[in-house]
């Protein structure tokens, strides 16, 4: 049989291969014809003014604080004109964002040569912070910081360090450690801390904050100390929260009697104190793990009085015999040794002294046992030893990963074409990861924000710690709701974030109204719009909890020198936790800032009052005051609630979802 040659099939095979390639090319062209319009329509899925496609922050930087490489200033948009962006323009803007990393910051904004002396110091500090921030940002954009952090993490020992289950310190060692015992993994159910000490004898108190004496009065004799469970690892650079404040006052209380006061404090905001004054808690009062909050002790005013003796004899005659009860004296005495044990129960903390239960303090919303990472004692007490036992051997990570929940549902929605009624700028610090996450999961989920009728953004400056900045950039890239203000963060320079909020609200989102709040402020979004719309559309407005004729403090935390503020009163200003201005006021502020005419003051809320007063001289402003913009804590039917911890935010949101704007006052 004759064999067929393979070569005879080659021409047919080549033809088939060419046809197949042409078919694939046709399918590819058809696919591209469908894909390109979709790309132009969505603009790559990135919001103008947030995160660029290459992962850089791009327009996350306020545009008034940037200039082009050739020094040309950016175009200033009309804040009253709504900008409708075509698909082609969105594409151009997306490409433009990718090359913004080479832009230069305009530090000449802070040239204080033509500014009065009382403001020049702050402007000089702002310029220095700006230059330092510029360097940090360039390092962050180059990727060197991230690379160094990765190398350090690879070379470090990745084994999980276990915490000690017990810690014992002598009095000398405890004093050498600034009277703080660190609890690396916090506490857990059943943990207990024992302190052996002795109160000092009463002394004459001359501190005017404790005892204010009038002429001719004798000095007040005081003997008191405090023991605090503190959250040492909650937020770096801030005063740690007092999870439990235990304050025995042997002498010196305003009542003239020995008392024990307990409380909590979060961001310098104290809760409602629990005072134990020697009277036992009422029978119908809430207990803690079945124990009363306050035990009874012998009081001078009820032990020896004639009325007390008469009552005792009367009860003995008319009432049947009952089990004898012994009343102990106040658990602390000057110069007398005591053994105090603090234990963590199921419902709260319990304190025993010399083997007897004295008081119990319920856990407050906002703090958990592992948050208590330090015990601090101070005051009129000599500590002989401290012993902590039954401690947890591991602790949930205190790194940002503990707080950030990288889910798409928490990402900022894409800005849609159309009018933005209200822009909310939220002032935050670089390491406030938990606070930002709590806001994302609560009031930023409001439908007005999800559908871009209201836009909310965090405004954050750079930290001096490079690892914080690297994590912040990662957070900003993912969630798309952070605006970086590129200076090194400083409490006295928070005012720069306020200017950045005005710029973003005017130029990027072109909102009618602009609100400023803090990251521990809970906002009822729909109420903010309702309050703003009560003012006629053609009127400029300034809404908040407004202080009129507020005098300047010359001492204390909010002390201001005469060089900083020579007048005795501030202009009318709304408290910083939450206020609203109209867009024309914001545009005025930005214009003054860009022309180097805007005066800066270290208190940003006072600065806003000063700017509004200047604007008011040329165009009338309607000042709207309401106590519902809560300055301290929360009140029923609030508009905004301040000093709210992340867990309180969740609690408030859950109540609001039920239609009840009620407070979660306990922490």
């Amino acid at each position: 049989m004759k064999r067929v040659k393979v070569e005879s099939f080659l021409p047919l095979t080549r033809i088939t291969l060419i046809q197949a390639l042409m078919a694939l090319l046709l399918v590819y062209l058809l696919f591209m014809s469908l894909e390109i319009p979709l790309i132009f329509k969505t603009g790559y899925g990135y919001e103008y003014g947030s995160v660029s496609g290459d992962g850089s922050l791009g327009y996350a930087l306020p545009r008034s604080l940037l200039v082009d490489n050739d020094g040309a200033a950016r175009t200033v948009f009309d804040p009253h004109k709504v900008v409708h962006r075509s698909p082609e323009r969105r594409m151009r803007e997306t490409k433009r964002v990718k090359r913004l990393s080479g832009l230069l910051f305009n530090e000449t904004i802070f040239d204080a040569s033509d500014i009065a002396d009382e403001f020049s110091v702050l402007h000089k500090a702002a310029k220095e912070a700006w230059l330092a921030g510029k360097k940090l940002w360039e390092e962050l954009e180059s990727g060197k910081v991230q690379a160094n952090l990765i190398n350090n993490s690879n070379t470090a020992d990745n084994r999980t360090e276990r915490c000690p289950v017990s810690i014992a310190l002598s009095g000398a060692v405890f004093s050498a450690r600034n009277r703080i015992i660190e609890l690396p993994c916090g506490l857990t159910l059943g943990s207990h801390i024992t302190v052996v000490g002795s109160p000092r004898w009463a002394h004459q108190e001359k501190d005017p904050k404790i005892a204010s004496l009038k002429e001719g009065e004798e000095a007040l004799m005081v003997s008191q100390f405090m023991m605090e469970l503190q959250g040492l690892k909650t937020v770096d650079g801030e005063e740690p929260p007092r999870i439990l404040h235990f304050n025995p006052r042997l002498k010196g209380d305003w009542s003239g009697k020995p008392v024990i006061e307990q409380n909590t404090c979060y961001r310098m905001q104290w809760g409602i104190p629990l005072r134990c004054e020697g009277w036992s808690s009422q029978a119908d009062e809430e207990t803690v793990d079945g124990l009363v909050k306050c035990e009874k002790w012998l009081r001078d005013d009820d032990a020896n009085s004639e009325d007390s003796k008469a009552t005792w004899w009367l009860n003995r005659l008319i009432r049947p015999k009952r089990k004898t009860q012994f009343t102990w004296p106040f658990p602390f005495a000057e110069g007398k040794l005591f053994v105090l044990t603090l234990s963590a129960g199921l419902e709260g903390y319990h304190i025993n002294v010399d083997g007897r239960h004295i008081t119990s303090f319920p856990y407050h919303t906002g703090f958990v046992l592992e948050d208590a990472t330090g015990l601090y004692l101070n005051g009129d007490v000599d500590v002989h030893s401290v012993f902590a036992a039954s401690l947890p051997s591991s602790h949930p990570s205190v790194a940002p990963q503990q707080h950030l929940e990288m889910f798409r549902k928490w990402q900022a929605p894409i800005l849609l074409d159309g009018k933005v009624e209200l822009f909310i700028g939220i002032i935050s610090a670089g390491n406030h990861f938990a606070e930002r996450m709590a806001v994302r999961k609560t009031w930023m989920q409001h439908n007005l924000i999800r559908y871009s009728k209201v836009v909310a953004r965090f405004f954050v400056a750079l930290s001096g710690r490079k690892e914080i900045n690297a994590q912040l950039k990662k957070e900003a890239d993912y969630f798309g709701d952070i605006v970086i203000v590129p200076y090194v963060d400083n409490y006295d320079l928070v005012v720069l974030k306020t200017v950045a909020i005005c710029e973003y609200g005017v130029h990027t989102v072109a909102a009618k109204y602009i609100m400023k709040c803090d990251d521990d402020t809970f906002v009822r979004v729909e109420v903010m719009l309702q309050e703003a719309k009560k003012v006629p559309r053609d009127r400029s407005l300034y809404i908040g909890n407004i202080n009129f004729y507020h005098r300047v403090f010359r001492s204390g935390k909010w002390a201001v020198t005469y060089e900083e503020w020579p007048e005795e009163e501030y202009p009318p200003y709304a408290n910083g936790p939450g206020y609203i201005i109209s867009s024309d006021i914001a545009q005025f502020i930005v214009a003054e800032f860009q022309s180097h005419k805007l005066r800066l003051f270290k208190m940003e809320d006072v600065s806003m009052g000063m700017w509004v007063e200047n604007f008011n001289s040329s165009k009338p402003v309607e000042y709207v005051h309401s106590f519902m913009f809560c300055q301290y804590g929360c009140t029923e039917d609030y508009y905004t609630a301040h000093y709210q911890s992340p867990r309180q935010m969740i609690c408030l949101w859950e109540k609001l979802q039920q239609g009840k704007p009620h407070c979660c006052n306990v922490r």
Side-chain angles (χ1 to χ4, degrees):
M1 183 176 180
K2 191 174 182 180
R3 183 176 296 177
V4 180
K5 293 185 178 180
V6 177
E7 287 80 358
S8 62
F9 291 93
L10 288 178
L12 182 61
T13 304
R14 290 194 185 97
I15 294 173
T16 304
L17 182 60
I18 292 172
Q19 290 175 342
L21 290 174
M22 291 181 65
L24 288 174
L25 181 61
L26 182 62
V27 172
Y28 176 77
L29 292 175
L30 180 62
F31 174 79
M32 290 300 296
S33 65
L34 295 174
E35 182 71 9
I36 290 175
L38 181 62
I39 293 174
F40 277 96
K41 183 177 180 180
T42 60
Y44 288 119
Y46 288 97
E47 172 199 337
Y48 171 65
S50 61
V51 184
S52 65
D54 63 352
S56 64
L57 289 180
Y59 264 133
L61 300 176
R63 290 183 293 169
S64 69
L65 310 180
L66 299 169
V67 295
D68 292 326
N69 287 328
D70 57 0
R74 301 272 180 88
T75 303
V76 178
F77 298 102
D78 183 356
H80 301 286
K81 181 180 179 181
V82 178
V83 180
H84 297 278
R85 301 179 179 88
S86 63
E88 292 78 13
R89 182 177 176 185
R90 283 193 174 187
M91 178 64 75
R92 290 198 303 271
E93 289 170 343
T94 304
K95 291 182 179 179
R96 188 182 183 188
V97 168
K98 293 181 180 179
R99 56 183 178 84
L100 284 178
S101 59
L103 296 177
L104 301 174
F105 303 120
N106 186 4
E107 60 268 11
T108 59
I109 289 175
F110 304 113
D111 187 1
S113 59
D114 57 345
I115 300 177
D117 291 340
E118 63 267 20
F119 295 95
S120 60
V121 175
L122 186 62
H123 282 73
K124 182 179 179 181
K127 184 173 183 178
E128 293 174 353
W130 204 265
L131 292 173
K134 174 184 176 181
K135 183 178 179 181
L136 286 172
W137 180 253
E138 289 173 349
E139 291 179 358
L140 195 62
E141 282 285 87
S142 67
K144 295 179 181 178
V145 175
Q146 294 88 330
N148 291 336
L149 292 176
I150 293 174
N151 292 334
N152 292 337
S153 63
N154 291 336
T155 56
D157 185 5
N158 292 325
R159 292 176 299 175
T160 302
E161 294 185 6
R162 299 188 65 82
C163 297
V165 295
S166 63
I167 302 174
L169 296 179
S170 65
V173 174
F174 182 72
S175 298
R177 296 184 180 182
N178 298 320
R179 292 193 160 202
I180 295 178
I181 178 173
E182 291 192 14
L183 310 170
C185 294
L187 301 177
T188 189
L189 184 64
S191 297
H192 54 88
I193 304 173
T194 299
V195 178
V196 179
S198 54
R200 297 170 186 166
W201 292 93
H203 60 91
Q204 292 185 352
E205 184 57 64
K206 298 180 180 179
D207 188 347
K209 296 180 181 179
I210 299 177
S212 180
L213 300 178
K214 297 180 180 179
E215 187 176 353
E217 289 184 341
E218 295 183 0
L220 182 68
M221 302 300 291
V222 174
S223 177
Q224 62 173 323
F225 67 93
M226 68 176 183
M227 179 182 69
E228 292 181 341
L229 282 175
Q230 297 183 350
L232 301 181
K233 296 183 179 180
T234 303
V235 176
D236 294 335
E238 290 188 3
E239 189 172 335
R242 280 92 160 178
I243 298 170
L244 170 65
H245 173 83
F246 178 79
N247 178 206
R249 302 173 183 175
L250 288 72
K251 290 183 178 179
D253 185 70
W254 58 266
S255 65
K257 305 295 180 183
V259 301
I260 296 175
E261 186 169 293
Q262 298 167 96
N263 208 337
T264 61
C265 181
Y266 179 74
R267 288 193 177 178
M268 300 187 68
Q269 175 65 20
W270 290 94
I272 300 174
L274 170 64
R275 284 175 60 91
C276 297
E277 301 178 287
W279 309 111
S280 180
S281 299
Q282 299 296 322
D284 58 348
E285 190 174 345
E286 178 188 19
T287 60
V288 183
D289 293 320
L291 298 173
V292 295
K293 294 180 180 178
C294 295
E295 296 284 0
K296 179 178 174 59
W297 59 70
L298 200 62
R299 289 172 53 99
D300 294 339
D301 56 358
D302 69 345
N304 301 316
S305 66
E306 293 299 326
D307 291 340
S308 297
K309 292 178 181 178
T311 302
W312 183 85
W313 279 107
L314 182 62
N315 289 335
R316 185 175 178 86
L317 290 173
I318 65 176
R319 292 185 181 179
K321 291 184 178 181
R322 295 183 300 177
K323 184 178 179 180
T324 303
Q325 294 183 348
F326 185 81
T327 303
W328 296 89
F330 186 70
F332 302 99
E334 299 165 83
K336 180 183 176 182
L337 192 73
F338 67 82
V339 179
L340 181 152
T341 300
L342 166 67
S343 58
L346 190 63
E347 299 176 350
Y349 298 105
H350 307 288
I351 293 180
N352 288 38
V353 178
D354 298 336
R356 293 183 291 109
H357 175 257
I358 299 299
T359 179
S360 293
F361 191 72
Y363 297 134
H364 282 195
T365 306
F367 300 119
V368 292
L369 285 172
E370 55 264 27
D371 290 338
T373 51
L375 181 80
Y376 173 65
L377 277 96
N378 195 17
D380 304 320
V381 62
D382 293 318
V383 178
H384 305 302
S385 63
V386 181
F387 178 72
S390 300
L391 302 175
S393 59
S394 61
H395 187 288
S397 174
V398 295
Q401 288 80 359
Q402 175 190 357
H403 307 295
L404 296 180
E405 298 181 17
M406 311 298 271
F407 299 125
R408 293 180 63 87
K409 64 180 179 179
W410 307 132
Q411 291 178 334
I414 297 173
L415 279 181
L416 304 176
D417 285 340
K419 295 182 179 180
V420 175
E421 297 282 341
L422 172 67
F423 173 67
I424 304 177
I426 311 163
I427 287 183
S428 184
N431 53 7
H432 284 194
F433 301 102
E435 286 82 352
R436 287 192 291 274
M437 201 66 237
V439 173
R440 290 187 187 105
K441 295 167 65 176
T442 56
W443 60 265
M444 276 182 70
Q445 294 301 308
H446 197 284
N447 284 337
L448 288 172
I449 295 179
R450 301 311 299 174
Y451 293 105
S452 297
K453 289 295 183 182
V454 177
V455 176
R457 294 290 181 268
F458 297 100
F459 284 75
V460 188
L462 296 174
S463 169
R465 296 173 54 186
K466 295 181 180 180
E467 64 272 18
I468 294 292
N469 294 333
Q471 185 63 40
L472 176 65
K473 184 178 184 300
K474 180 180 177 181
E475 180 187 0
D477 289 344
Y478 185 82
F479 292 105
D481 57 10
I482 294 179
V483 178
I484 303 293
V485 188
Y487 71 92
V488 177
D489 212 348
N490 184 316
Y491 186 80
D492 289 346
L493 299 178
V494 173
V495 63
L496 297 179
K497 298 179 186 178
T498 304
V499 177
I501 288 173
C502 294
E503 189 279 332
Y504 195 94
V506 168
H507 290 166
T508 302
V509 297
K512 292 181 182 178
Y513 312 107
I514 295 167
M515 178 180 182
K516 176 265 169 183
C517 69
D518 297 336
D519 61 9
D520 59 352
T521 300
F522 188 93
V523 178
R524 292 178 62 192
V525 179
E526 75 287 353
V527 175
M528 297 299 100
L529 265 182
Q530 292 169 7
E531 290 300 303
K533 289 182 177 180
K534 289 179 181 178
V535 179
R537 293 175 60 90
D538 58 340
R539 297 293 301 272
S540 303
L541 59 84
Y542 185 29
I543 304 175
N545 190 339
I546 298 179
N547 297 282
F548 294 95
Y549 311 109
H550 194 285
R551 297 191 65 82
V552 180
F553 293 116
R554 301 301 180 185
S555 61
K557 180 190 176 184
W558 309 111
V560 174
T561 65
Y562 283 99
E563 289 75 19
E564 293 173 319
W565 193 274
E567 293 84 5
E568 292 299 328
E569 291 181 351
Y570 292 125
Y573 71 93
N575 288 323
Y579 56 78
I580 307 171
I581 60 174
S582 51
S583 60
D584 54 351
I585 296 177
Q587 187 178 24
F588 166 79
I589 293 170
V590 175
E592 291 288 291
F593 182 77
Q594 291 176 332
S595 61
H596 306 185
K597 297 178 182 178
L598 191 69
R599 287 191 167 186
L600 304 178
F601 183 58
K602 66 181 182 180
M603 297 180 186
E604 71 84 20
D605 47 5
V606 175
S607 291
M608 179 58 70
M610 176 175 58
W611 302 334
V612 173
E613 186 179 56
N614 293 339
F615 180 87
N616 190 37
S617 62
S618 59
K619 182 181 178 182
V621 176
E622 185 159 340
Y623 288 73
V624 181
H625 166 69
S626 175
F627 285 115
M628 294 295 101
F629 290 85
C630 299
Q631 166 71 355
Y632 299 107
C634 176
T635 187
E636 295 300 306
D637 297 322
Y638 61 90
Y639 294 170
T640 64
H642 192 214
Y643 291 127
Q644 302 302 296
S645 67
R647 289 184 179 87
Q648 279 182 303
M649 289 279 197
I650 301 296
C651 175
L652 289 172
W653 179 246
E654 290 174 350
K655 290 188 176 183
L656 198 60
Q657 293 296 95
Q658 300 170 3
K660 302 174 182 178
H662 295 169
C663 298
C664 301
N665 283 325
V666 295
R667 294 193 177 279

